[in-house]
Amino acid sequence: DLDVESLNALRNSFIHFTPKSWVLHLEGLPNIFLNCLKVVEYLGWSPGKINWHKEGNKKLAIKSFNDCIDVLEKLKTDYN
């Protein structure tokens, strides 16, 4: 997916840093993150993908995931 590739390219630019100036445009980033989180949602909550040994861990992960979605939806209205 194009959003996963875009996020990976941005990640690689940070990881393999070379001296240069940076301008990071926030426009579009919330959508990229929201689309990438769909993969997390599929892998994390679909039956048979992850065995959660402690139900409390799964509940905490779902709460954190939903918190991320809420923040990104707000940023989406601010920057898109």
Side-chain angles (χ1 to χ4, degrees):
D1 178 52
L2 182 60
D3 287 328
V4 173
E5 289 177 19
S6 297
L7 186 58
N8 191 48
L10 182 61
R11 173 223 171 257
N12 286 340
S13 294
F14 279 110
I15 295 297
H16 306 292
F17 180 76
T18 56
K20 57 186 164 190
S21 62
W22 274 89
V23 176
L24 186 60
H25 296 278
L26 297 178
E27 183 178 291
L29 282 179
N31 276 332
I32 289 173
F33 293 133
L34 285 166
N35 287 332
C36 291
L37 283 174
K38 290 177 184 177
V39 176
V40 173
E41 182 177 31
Y42 172 74
L43 293 174
W45 324 143
S46 295
K49 303 297 182 215
I50 292 180
N51 291 324
W52 294 91
H53 296 287
K54 294 183 180 179
E55 187 62 27
N57 290 345
K58 182 178 181 181
K59 287 180 182 178
L60 179 60
I62 290 172
K63 183 193 178 319
S64 298
F65 177 85
N66 289 330
D67 290 347
C68 287
I69 297 292
D70 291 343
V71 169
L72 288 168
E73 288 293 345
K74 171 142 180 29
L75 287 174
K76 185 174 155 180
T77 60
D78 293 344
Y79 291 103
N80 286 346

